[in-house]
Amino acid sequence: EDQVTQSPEALRLQEGESSSLNCSYTVSGLRGLFWYRQDPGKGPEFLFTLYSAGEEKEKERLKATLTKKESFLHITAPKPEDSATYLCAVSDGDKIIFGKGTRLHILP
Amino acid sequence: DAGVIQSPRHEVTEMGQEVTLRCKPISGHNSLFWYRQTMMRGLELLIYFNNNVPIDDSGMPEDRFSAKMPNASFSTLKIQPSEPRDSAVYFCASSLWTGANEKLFFGSGTQLSVL
């Protein structure tokens, strides 16, 4: 059964304090690993797609990396506006399964 | 494009009543997903459609839940009868399937409260 596990569940950082979020997955035939950002009261918003081990994607202060078993979302020098829930998801080509997310809070 | 449109935004109903949630996907998208989100279980896939055909409904919790997609621009998720444990945020998302489902575009969700 396809499964996505994210850690930690919640993370509080000071502004400027870099860290990483983890996403471990098991899927029969990975066709893509996705990162989404969700703000309170809104639907998830797409950030990145990674397709193969070793691939990296960057967007502003975020960088996503992928290995054969997990993905990391690195946040460099975060700002309060980066506070949100970050969701990881995997696709077998059809279904897209999400983890429970990491709630990130950046303190000014 | 207006994005994925869901209605109603909020729904409060009493146990035993029928609830219908509605979704209009992005024009041109050919895959549609229904998810349910709770604090305990996160974002759960209920059912998804490709070209208006239900492909996998294994996530539908029980026979009280049903989903339809009569055409490419409209889908409904119905709960009959509703129960308090159905309280959650229900999201619809659409995607352009080109050999694989990739980037999902989500609606704003329907907050359902069953009293």
Side-chain angles (χ1 to χ4, degrees), chain A residues 31 34 36 38 41-46 49 51 87 91-100 103, chain B residues 9 33 35 37 39-43 45 48 50 56 91 97 99-104 106-108:
Chain A
R31 294 292 296 274
F34 312 94
Y36 286 77
Q38 186 175 23
K42 296 186 177 181
E45 185 177 332
F46 173 82
T49 304
Y51 294 103
L87 298 165
S91 171
D92 62 1
D94 288 311
K95 288 192 298 186
I96 299 180
I97 305 299
F98 282 80
K100 293 183 180 180
R103 297 188 307 280
Chain B
R9 193 79 169 87
F33 296 72
Y35 289 89
Q37 188 173 41
M39 284 294 293
M40 286 293 293
R41 301 174 69 89
L43 202 59
L45 177 62
Y48 71 95
N50 272 1
D56 188 336
F91 286 104
W97 192 92
N101 276 313
E102 299 197 4
K103 185 171 163 180
L104 290 180
F106 282 81
S108 297

Side-chain angles (χ1 to χ4, degrees), chain A residues 49-108:
Chain A
T49 304
L50 300 167
Y51 294 103
S52 57
E55 190 175 358
E56 298 183 354
K57 293 274 180 72
E58 286 191 63
K59 181 179 180 179
E60 296 181 358
R61 295 175 291 282
L62 300 176
K63 183 169 80 171
T65 62
L66 180 64
T67 72
K68 288 186 178 179
K69 293 184 178 181
E70 58 191 356
S71 176
F72 292 93
L73 185 65
H74 307 278
I75 302 176
T76 302
K79 298 181 178 181
E81 54 261 42
D82 295 321
S83 298
T85 296
Y86 290 86
L87 298 165
C88 174
V90 296
S91 171
D92 62 1
D94 288 311
K95 288 192 298 186
I96 299 180
I97 305 299
F98 282 80
K100 293 183 180 180
T102 293
R103 297 188 307 280
L104 178 65
H105 187 54
I106 308 300
L107 302 167

Side-chain angles (χ1 to χ4, degrees), chain A residues 12-19 75-78 106:
Chain A
R12 293 166 70 90
L13 300 171
Q14 290 293 138
E15 182 173 2
E17 181 184 0
S18 302
S19 188
I75 302 176
T76 302
I106 308 300

Side-chain angles (χ1 to χ4, degrees), chain B residues 83-101:
Chain B
E83 297 184 2
R85 61 191 165 126
D86 301 332
S87 298
V89 181
Y90 290 80
F91 286 104
C92 174
S94 71
S95 158
L96 180 61
W97 192 92
T98 55
N101 276 313

